[in-house]
Amino acid sequence: MEKQRREELIAGALEARERAYAPYSHYAVGAALLTKSGVVYPGCNIENSAYGPSNCAERTAVFSAVARGEREVAAIAVVGKFTDGSPAGGDGFAYPCGVCRQVLAEFCSPKDFLVLLENAQGERKALTLGELLPYGFVLKD
């Protein structure tokens, strides 16, 4: 994927993160999903006091794309940060959770699907969904 498109996805994820609703975890996450048709769909995490109805940024983006008729996705950028000033743990990247990884796998080829990440220090990482979900279920299964 060309550098300009990667930059566009990271910028879209950063913008989406600003719309996150995270009053419980104080961890805002934004995502920008690129479909094979070239359209970018934003997503943000949306928390709920009952927890179960909460939704991750990645799934918000996927569900939005599917609701508009998209069925094939090519890449996603994901960014997260604490809104209360707490330091990020680990390496500071907002990796997609297992449920989000499985949902993404439903609409792509995991070995080709690109996951772009940026942490609060501006460091970036690019992984394939196959690297993040090596034994996930896919349509042929």
Side-chain angles (χ1 to χ4, degrees), residues 14-40:
L14 289 166
E15 183 179 328
R17 183 178 71 188
E18 296 305 312
R19 294 188 295 272
Y21 179 72
Y24 305 102
S25 72
H26 305 289
Y27 192 68
V29 180
L33 177 74
L34 174 65
T35 63
K36 290 225 175 158
S37 70
V39 178
V40 175

Side-chain angles (χ1 to χ4, degrees), residues 6-7 10-11 13-14 17 27 30 76-81 91-95 115-126:
R6 287 179 185 225
E7 295 296 328
I10 292 288
L14 289 166
R17 183 178 71 188
Y27 192 68
I76 194 167
V78 184
V79 297
K81 75 171 182 180
D91 60 8
F93 290 103
Y95 296 97
V115 179
L116 305 171
L117 304 165
E118 181 177 282
N119 66 18
Q121 290 73 39
E123 299 169 327
R124 292 188 177 173
K125 219 181 239 200

